[in-house]
Amino acid sequence: MSDGVRREIEIKASPEEVWESLATEEGRDRWLEDDPEREIHVEVADEPSRLVWWWWRGDEPATRVELLVVAAPAGARVIVVESQPAFPLVALAQAFTLVAV
């Protein structure tokens, strides 16, 4: 496994509201881009604080996503760690594209 990419954000919502947006298909539909080819397999769901899923499109390698939801002064802090079993050069290039925009 690669070490992955770690991101954090504080959201002005309760941890329970954030959990609902992460852990349910209806919640994800409100913020995650529509991609009919994307598959999501939930590995761990420890409500309301930890969610782990694998996602992929078609024949692409699966990516492991771990989301932690903790109470914070603004409401909730979400910590996301995304990793893949092997180092993906395409993802690296895309990361620089995203940073440069």
Side-chain angles (χ1 to χ4, degrees):
M1 276 291 204
S2 67
D3 289 335
V5 176
R6 178 186 167 113
R7 296 182 182 99
E8 294 186 28
I9 188 169
E10 285 198 16
I11 299 174
K12 292 182 182 179
S14 72
E16 293 78 17
E17 291 171 312
V18 172
W19 176 264
E20 184 72 20
S21 291
L22 296 172
T24 67
E25 190 172 331
E26 298 80 23
R28 287 190 299 268
D29 284 347
R30 290 192 297 259
W31 63 271
L32 193 58
E33 69 183 39
D34 184 33
D35 185 348
E37 293 184 28
R38 179 180 39 237
E39 298 284 336
I40 296 177
H41 169 73
V42 175
E43 181 179 290
V44 177
D46 293 331
E47 185 176 352
S49 59
R50 182 172 179 252
L51 180 65
V52 179
W53 74 49
W54 288 84
W55 63 353
W56 65 92
R57 282 183 202 93
D59 294 335
E60 293 178 1
T63 301
R64 182 181 187 272
V65 179
E66 181 172 7
L67 302 115
L68 301 173
V69 181
V70 296
R77 176 180 296 269
V78 179
I79 304 163
V80 180
V81 178
E82 186 170 10
S83 57
Q84 288 185 321
F87 187 79
L89 292 176
V90 173
L92 177 63
Q94 290 172 343
F96 281 102
T97 302
L98 292 174
V99 171
V101 171

